[in-house]
Amino acid sequence: MGEMSQIRNIVILTGAGISAESGIDTFRDAGGLWEQHRVEDVATPEGFARDPDLVLNFYDMRRAALTRVEPNAAHAALARLDAEWGGDLLIVTQNVDDLHERAGASRVLHMHGELKSALCTACEMRSPWDAPMIDRPPCPVCRAPMLRPDVVWFGEMPYQMDRIYTALRNADLFVSIGTSGAVYPAAGFVRDARELGVQTQELNLERSEGSNWFHESRQGRAGELVPMWVEEMLAR
Ligand code: OAD
């Protein structure tokens, strides 16, 4: 790939597929979270207003499950790339787990929020959070018992879109890993990148919905593909 020779700045988008081999359910695969739960019930502001206990319990269970999983070879490889890559690098994750950080990556942006963060619906402050919310604990900042999961729901604006688009404008390479390409705006990043003249690659178990937009698409498990890809990048 001749065009790939001048790569300095990289934006990496990750989705549920990168955490699948750690034992975290994806959303849209067979047996995924959206087969077990209705999106409208547990991932919308309206669902939360209708049945807060159901929603708080859903995220309490997912937060608790983080203590039973470990980062896999794909998270480790991206952490290594983050540590060793001299140019700009940003890992934009749609995942609300903390496996990129636990693998050692530091240039991580959680565009859909984090399980281990609480958002106060009274004072709007975000606080690091590691406990259940079902018993309505007080906000660490204002003490109001009005916390919700700091997770971006359908109909809400993902976090730090300005920072993401700035990184895309400066990028030489955009790589999408383990995401189905079903949820916007993340699903549109590949087209945005192409319009900006950025090289694009996807690493996913199967071709994603937007697969044809990528210059290159590789199919396989993240635990195998990502370490290989990182080796290639660091050998350049
Ligand atoms: P999806 O469940 O939609 O897609 C996961 C993708 O990962 C699929 O294309 C799988 O083929 C692929 N995959 C599964 N196992 C894999 C493996 N071992 N290695 C590589 N790829 C694998 O998850 P996302 O695309 O992350 O949003 O979903 C995007 C958003 O939709 C989520 O952030 C969440 C959800 O609704 C919110 O909750 C706001």
Short mmCIF file of all heavy atoms in Angstrom, two decimals, residues 83-129:
data_model
loop_
_atom_site.label_atom_id
_atom_site.label_comp_id
_atom_site.label_asym_id
_atom_site.label_seq_id
_atom_site.Cartn_x
_atom_site.Cartn_y
_atom_site.Cartn_z
N ALA A 83 1.61 3.44 23.71
CA ALA A 83 2.85 3.75 24.43
C ALA A 83 4.00 4.05 23.47
O ALA A 83 4.85 4.90 23.75
CB ALA A 83 3.22 2.59 25.36
N GLU A 84 4.02 3.35 22.32
CA GLU A 84 5.21 3.41 21.47
C GLU A 84 5.06 4.31 20.24
O GLU A 84 6.05 4.64 19.59
CB GLU A 84 5.59 1.99 21.03
CG GLU A 84 5.99 1.12 22.22
CD GLU A 84 6.43 -0.29 21.82
OE1 GLU A 84 6.80 -0.50 20.64
OE2 GLU A 84 6.40 -1.17 22.70
N TRP A 85 3.82 4.68 19.91
CA TRP A 85 3.60 5.46 18.69
C TRP A 85 3.99 6.91 18.90
O TRP A 85 3.49 7.57 19.81
CB TRP A 85 2.14 5.35 18.25
CG TRP A 85 1.90 5.96 16.91
CD1 TRP A 85 1.32 7.16 16.63
CD2 TRP A 85 2.23 5.38 15.65
NE1 TRP A 85 1.29 7.38 15.28
CE2 TRP A 85 1.84 6.30 14.65
CE3 TRP A 85 2.85 4.18 15.26
CZ2 TRP A 85 2.04 6.04 13.29
CZ3 TRP A 85 3.04 3.93 13.91
CH2 TRP A 85 2.63 4.85 12.94
N GLY A 86 4.87 7.42 18.06
CA GLY A 86 5.39 8.78 18.25
C GLY A 86 4.45 9.89 17.80
O GLY A 86 4.50 11.01 18.31
N GLY A 87 3.57 9.60 16.86
CA GLY A 87 2.65 10.62 16.35
C GLY A 87 1.42 10.73 17.24
O GLY A 87 1.34 10.11 18.30
N ASP A 88 0.48 11.55 16.77
CA ASP A 88 -0.79 11.63 17.51
C ASP A 88 -1.51 10.30 17.40
O ASP A 88 -1.45 9.63 16.35
CB ASP A 88 -1.69 12.71 16.91
CG ASP A 88 -1.19 14.11 17.25
OD1 ASP A 88 -0.29 14.22 18.10
OD2 ASP A 88 -1.70 15.07 16.65
N LEU A 89 -2.21 9.95 18.44
CA LEU A 89 -3.01 8.72 18.44
C LEU A 89 -4.18 8.95 19.38
O LEU A 89 -4.02 9.53 20.45
CB LEU A 89 -2.16 7.54 18.91
CG LEU A 89 -2.83 6.17 19.03
CD1 LEU A 89 -1.84 5.07 18.67
CD2 LEU A 89 -3.39 5.93 20.42
N LEU A 90 -5.38 8.57 18.94
CA LEU A 90 -6.55 8.68 19.80
C LEU A 90 -7.39 7.42 19.65
O LEU A 90 -7.75 7.04 18.53
CB LEU A 90 -7.38 9.92 19.44
CG LEU A 90 -8.60 10.18 20.33
CD1 LEU A 90 -8.20 10.46 21.78
CD2 LEU A 90 -9.43 11.34 19.77
N ILE A 91 -7.64 6.75 20.77
CA ILE A 91 -8.54 5.59 20.78
C ILE A 91 -9.92 6.11 21.17
O ILE A 91 -10.15 6.47 22.33
CB ILE A 91 -8.07 4.50 21.78
CG1 ILE A 91 -6.67 4.00 21.41
CG2 ILE A 91 -9.07 3.35 21.82
CD1 ILE A 91 -6.02 3.10 22.46
N VAL A 92 -10.80 6.19 20.18
CA VAL A 92 -12.18 6.61 20.44
C VAL A 92 -12.98 5.34 20.65
O VAL A 92 -13.12 4.54 19.72
CB VAL A 92 -12.76 7.39 19.23
CG1 VAL A 92 -14.21 7.75 19.48
CG2 VAL A 92 -11.92 8.63 18.94
N THR A 93 -13.45 5.11 21.85
CA THR A 93 -14.20 3.88 22.08
C THR A 93 -15.68 4.15 22.30
O THR A 93 -16.05 5.14 22.94
CB THR A 93 -13.61 3.03 23.23
OG1 THR A 93 -14.29 1.77 23.25
CG2 THR A 93 -13.75 3.71 24.59
N GLN A 94 -16.50 3.27 21.72
CA GLN A 94 -17.94 3.29 21.99
C GLN A 94 -18.24 2.47 23.23
O GLN A 94 -19.38 2.43 23.70
CB GLN A 94 -18.72 2.71 20.81
CG GLN A 94 -18.53 3.46 19.52
CD GLN A 94 -19.08 2.67 18.34
OE1 GLN A 94 -20.25 2.75 18.01
NE2 GLN A 94 -18.22 1.89 17.71
N ASN A 95 -17.22 1.79 23.75
CA ASN A 95 -17.45 0.87 24.87
C ASN A 95 -17.50 1.62 26.19
O ASN A 95 -16.77 2.57 26.41
CB ASN A 95 -16.34 -0.18 24.91
CG ASN A 95 -16.33 -1.04 23.66
OD1 ASN A 95 -17.31 -1.07 22.92
ND2 ASN A 95 -15.23 -1.73 23.42
N VAL A 96 -18.36 1.13 27.07
CA VAL A 96 -18.48 1.73 28.40
C VAL A 96 -17.68 0.94 29.44
O VAL A 96 -17.68 1.29 30.62
CB VAL A 96 -19.97 1.88 28.81
CG1 VAL A 96 -20.66 2.89 27.91
CG2 VAL A 96 -20.71 0.54 28.76
N ASP A 97 -16.99 -0.12 28.98
CA ASP A 97 -16.12 -0.86 29.90
C ASP A 97 -14.80 -0.09 30.07
O ASP A 97 -14.57 0.93 29.42
CB ASP A 97 -15.89 -2.31 29.41
CG ASP A 97 -15.11 -2.38 28.09
OD1 ASP A 97 -14.04 -1.73 27.99
OD2 ASP A 97 -15.55 -3.09 27.17
N ASP A 98 -13.95 -0.60 30.97
CA ASP A 98 -12.69 0.10 31.26
C ASP A 98 -11.47 -0.72 30.81
O ASP A 98 -10.39 -0.58 31.35
CB ASP A 98 -12.60 0.42 32.76
CG ASP A 98 -12.67 -0.84 33.63
OD1 ASP A 98 -12.97 -1.94 33.09
OD2 ASP A 98 -12.45 -0.73 34.86
N LEU A 99 -11.68 -1.60 29.81
CA LEU A 99 -10.61 -2.54 29.46
C LEU A 99 -9.45 -1.89 28.71
O LEU A 99 -8.31 -2.34 28.84
CB LEU A 99 -11.19 -3.73 28.68
CG LEU A 99 -12.17 -4.59 29.50
CD1 LEU A 99 -12.68 -5.77 28.67
CD2 LEU A 99 -11.53 -5.09 30.79
N HIS A 100 -9.70 -0.83 27.94
CA HIS A 100 -8.56 -0.13 27.32
C HIS A 100 -7.64 0.43 28.40
O HIS A 100 -6.42 0.28 28.34
CB HIS A 100 -9.04 1.03 26.43
CG HIS A 100 -9.61 0.60 25.11
ND1 HIS A 100 -8.91 -0.18 24.21
CD2 HIS A 100 -10.81 0.85 24.52
CE1 HIS A 100 -9.66 -0.39 23.12
NE2 HIS A 100 -10.81 0.22 23.30
N GLU A 101 -8.24 1.08 29.39
CA GLU A 101 -7.44 1.68 30.47
C GLU A 101 -6.73 0.61 31.29
O GLU A 101 -5.55 0.76 31.64
CB GLU A 101 -8.32 2.51 31.41
CG GLU A 101 -8.85 3.81 30.82
CD GLU A 101 -10.14 3.64 30.03
OE1 GLU A 101 -10.55 2.47 29.75
OE2 GLU A 101 -10.75 4.66 29.69
N ARG A 102 -7.46 -0.47 31.59
CA ARG A 102 -6.83 -1.52 32.40
C ARG A 102 -5.69 -2.21 31.66
O ARG A 102 -4.79 -2.77 32.28
CB ARG A 102 -7.88 -2.51 32.88
CG ARG A 102 -8.62 -1.95 34.12
CD ARG A 102 -9.90 -2.70 34.40
NE ARG A 102 -9.67 -4.10 34.63
CZ ARG A 102 -10.64 -5.03 34.64
NH1 ARG A 102 -11.89 -4.67 34.45
NH2 ARG A 102 -10.36 -6.29 34.87
N ALA A 103 -5.73 -2.19 30.32
CA ALA A 103 -4.61 -2.74 29.54
C ALA A 103 -3.43 -1.77 29.53
O ALA A 103 -2.34 -2.13 29.10
CB ALA A 103 -5.06 -3.05 28.12
N GLY A 104 -3.67 -0.51 29.94
CA GLY A 104 -2.57 0.45 30.01
C GLY A 104 -2.64 1.58 29.00
O GLY A 104 -1.74 2.42 28.94
N ALA A 105 -3.70 1.62 28.18
CA ALA A 105 -3.82 2.72 27.22
C ALA A 105 -4.18 4.01 27.95
O ALA A 105 -4.94 3.98 28.92
CB ALA A 105 -4.88 2.39 26.16
N SER A 106 -3.62 5.13 27.49
CA SER A 106 -3.98 6.40 28.15
C SER A 106 -4.68 7.38 27.21
O SER A 106 -5.45 8.21 27.66
CB SER A 106 -2.74 7.04 28.78
OG SER A 106 -1.74 7.19 27.80
N ARG A 107 -4.44 7.26 25.91
CA ARG A 107 -5.10 8.20 24.97
C ARG A 107 -6.45 7.63 24.54
O ARG A 107 -6.64 7.24 23.40
CB ARG A 107 -4.17 8.48 23.78
CG ARG A 107 -2.92 9.25 24.21
CD ARG A 107 -2.02 9.60 23.03
NE ARG A 107 -1.02 8.56 22.77
CZ ARG A 107 -0.07 8.66 21.83
NH1 ARG A 107 -0.01 9.74 21.06
NH2 ARG A 107 0.81 7.69 21.66
N VAL A 108 -7.39 7.57 25.50
CA VAL A 108 -8.69 6.94 25.28
C VAL A 108 -9.81 7.95 25.50
O VAL A 108 -9.78 8.71 26.47
CB VAL A 108 -8.90 5.76 26.27
CG1 VAL A 108 -10.24 5.07 26.01
CG2 VAL A 108 -7.76 4.75 26.17
N LEU A 109 -10.77 7.97 24.59
CA LEU A 109 -11.93 8.86 24.71
C LEU A 109 -13.19 7.99 24.68
O LEU A 109 -13.41 7.26 23.72
CB LEU A 109 -11.91 9.85 23.54
CG LEU A 109 -12.94 10.97 23.43
CD1 LEU A 109 -12.47 12.01 22.41
CD2 LEU A 109 -14.31 10.48 23.04
N HIS A 110 -14.01 8.07 25.72
CA HIS A 110 -15.24 7.26 25.80
C HIS A 110 -16.42 8.05 25.25
O HIS A 110 -17.10 8.76 25.98
CB HIS A 110 -15.51 6.87 27.25
CG HIS A 110 -14.66 5.76 27.76
ND1 HIS A 110 -15.02 4.43 27.66
CD2 HIS A 110 -13.45 5.77 28.36
CE1 HIS A 110 -14.08 3.67 28.18
NE2 HIS A 110 -13.10 4.45 28.61
N MET A 111 -16.68 7.91 23.97
CA MET A 111 -17.74 8.74 23.36
C MET A 111 -19.15 8.36 23.83
O MET A 111 -20.05 9.20 23.75
CB MET A 111 -17.65 8.74 21.83
CG MET A 111 -17.94 7.43 21.16
SD MET A 111 -17.89 7.56 19.34
CE MET A 111 -19.35 8.56 18.99
N HIS A 112 -19.34 7.13 24.30
CA HIS A 112 -20.66 6.71 24.82
C HIS A 112 -20.68 6.64 26.35
O HIS A 112 -21.55 6.00 26.92
CB HIS A 112 -21.08 5.36 24.22
CG HIS A 112 -21.45 5.45 22.75
ND1 HIS A 112 -21.62 4.34 21.95
CD2 HIS A 112 -21.68 6.53 21.96
CE1 HIS A 112 -21.94 4.73 20.72
NE2 HIS A 112 -21.97 6.04 20.69
N GLY A 113 -19.72 7.30 27.01
CA GLY A 113 -19.70 7.32 28.47
C GLY A 113 -19.02 6.09 29.06
O GLY A 113 -18.37 5.33 28.34
N GLU A 114 -19.17 5.92 30.38
CA GLU A 114 -18.45 4.88 31.10
C GLU A 114 -19.32 4.29 32.20
O GLU A 114 -19.98 5.03 32.93
CB GLU A 114 -17.20 5.46 31.76
CG GLU A 114 -16.17 5.99 30.79
CD GLU A 114 -15.03 6.68 31.51
OE1 GLU A 114 -14.26 5.99 32.20
OE2 GLU A 114 -14.93 7.92 31.40
N LEU A 115 -19.25 2.97 32.37
CA LEU A 115 -19.97 2.33 33.47
C LEU A 115 -19.46 2.82 34.82
O LEU A 115 -20.22 2.94 35.77
CB LEU A 115 -19.80 0.80 33.40
CG LEU A 115 -20.60 0.09 32.31
CD1 LEU A 115 -20.15 -1.36 32.21
CD2 LEU A 115 -22.10 0.17 32.61
N LYS A 116 -18.16 3.11 34.88
CA LYS A 116 -17.57 3.50 36.15
C LYS A 116 -17.56 5.02 36.33
O LYS A 116 -16.60 5.60 36.85
CB LYS A 116 -16.18 2.88 36.30
CG LYS A 116 -16.31 1.36 36.48
CD LYS A 116 -15.01 0.64 36.58
CE LYS A 116 -14.30 0.94 37.87
NZ LYS A 116 -13.19 0.00 38.10
N SER A 117 -18.64 5.63 35.89
CA SER A 117 -18.83 7.06 36.09
C SER A 117 -20.31 7.29 36.36
O SER A 117 -21.17 6.59 35.82
CB SER A 117 -18.39 7.81 34.83
OG SER A 117 -18.64 9.19 34.95
N ALA A 118 -20.59 8.25 37.23
CA ALA A 118 -21.98 8.61 37.56
C ALA A 118 -22.25 10.02 37.08
O ALA A 118 -21.39 10.89 37.17
CB ALA A 118 -22.19 8.52 39.07
N LEU A 119 -23.45 10.21 36.54
CA LEU A 119 -23.87 11.54 36.10
C LEU A 119 -25.02 11.98 37.00
O LEU A 119 -26.02 11.27 37.14
CB LEU A 119 -24.34 11.47 34.65
CG LEU A 119 -24.96 12.73 34.04
CD1 LEU A 119 -23.96 13.88 34.00
CD2 LEU A 119 -25.47 12.43 32.63
N CYS A 120 -24.85 13.14 37.64
CA CYS A 120 -25.90 13.62 38.55
C CYS A 120 -26.95 14.38 37.75
O CYS A 120 -26.64 15.34 37.04
CB CYS A 120 -25.30 14.53 39.62
SG CYS A 120 -26.57 15.16 40.74
N THR A 121 -28.21 13.95 37.87
CA THR A 121 -29.28 14.62 37.13
C THR A 121 -29.70 15.92 37.82
O THR A 121 -30.46 16.70 37.25
CB THR A 121 -30.51 13.70 36.97
OG1 THR A 121 -31.00 13.36 38.28
CG2 THR A 121 -30.16 12.44 36.22
N ALA A 122 -29.16 16.17 39.04
CA ALA A 122 -29.45 17.43 39.72
C ALA A 122 -28.40 18.49 39.37
O ALA A 122 -28.74 19.56 38.87
CB ALA A 122 -29.51 17.22 41.23
N CYS A 123 -27.12 18.20 39.61
CA CYS A 123 -26.08 19.22 39.39
C CYS A 123 -25.29 19.01 38.09
O CYS A 123 -24.45 19.82 37.74
CB CYS A 123 -25.12 19.27 40.58
SG CYS A 123 -23.95 17.90 40.68
N GLU A 124 -25.56 17.89 37.38
CA GLU A 124 -24.95 17.58 36.08
C GLU A 124 -23.46 17.28 36.14
O GLU A 124 -22.80 17.21 35.10
CB GLU A 124 -25.24 18.69 35.05
CG GLU A 124 -26.72 18.75 34.71
CD GLU A 124 -27.09 19.86 33.74
OE1 GLU A 124 -26.18 20.48 33.19
OE2 GLU A 124 -28.30 20.08 33.58
N MET A 125 -22.92 17.11 37.37
CA MET A 125 -21.50 16.76 37.47
C MET A 125 -21.32 15.26 37.25
O MET A 125 -22.17 14.46 37.58
CB MET A 125 -20.95 17.13 38.86
CG MET A 125 -20.96 18.63 39.12
SD MET A 125 -19.90 19.57 38.00
CE MET A 125 -18.30 19.12 38.66
N ARG A 126 -20.15 14.92 36.68
CA ARG A 126 -19.78 13.51 36.48
C ARG A 126 -18.76 13.14 37.55
O ARG A 126 -17.82 13.89 37.79
CB ARG A 126 -19.15 13.33 35.10
CG ARG A 126 -20.01 13.88 33.97
CD ARG A 126 -19.25 13.90 32.65
NE ARG A 126 -19.04 12.55 32.12
CZ ARG A 126 -18.28 12.28 31.06
NH1 ARG A 126 -17.62 13.25 30.44
NH2 ARG A 126 -18.14 11.04 30.64
N SER A 127 -18.96 11.99 38.20
CA SER A 127 -18.04 11.54 39.25
C SER A 127 -17.62 10.10 38.99
O SER A 127 -18.44 9.29 38.55
CB SER A 127 -18.73 11.58 40.62
OG SER A 127 -19.24 12.86 40.90
N PRO A 128 -16.35 9.78 39.29
CA PRO A 128 -15.94 8.37 39.22
C PRO A 128 -16.85 7.55 40.13
O PRO A 128 -17.20 8.01 41.22
CB PRO A 128 -14.50 8.39 39.78
CG PRO A 128 -14.05 9.81 39.64
CD PRO A 128 -15.27 10.66 39.77
N TRP A 129 -17.24 6.36 39.67
CA TRP A 129 -18.25 5.60 40.42
C TRP A 129 -18.00 4.11 40.30
O TRP A 129 -17.79 3.61 39.20
CB TRP A 129 -19.66 5.93 39.88
CG TRP A 129 -20.71 5.50 40.83
CD1 TRP A 129 -21.46 4.35 40.75
CD2 TRP A 129 -21.10 6.16 42.02
NE1 TRP A 129 -22.30 4.27 41.82
CE2 TRP A 129 -22.09 5.37 42.62
CE3 TRP A 129 -20.69 7.34 42.65
CZ2 TRP A 129 -22.70 5.72 43.82
CZ3 TRP A 129 -21.29 7.71 43.84
CH2 TRP A 129 -22.29 6.90 44.41
#
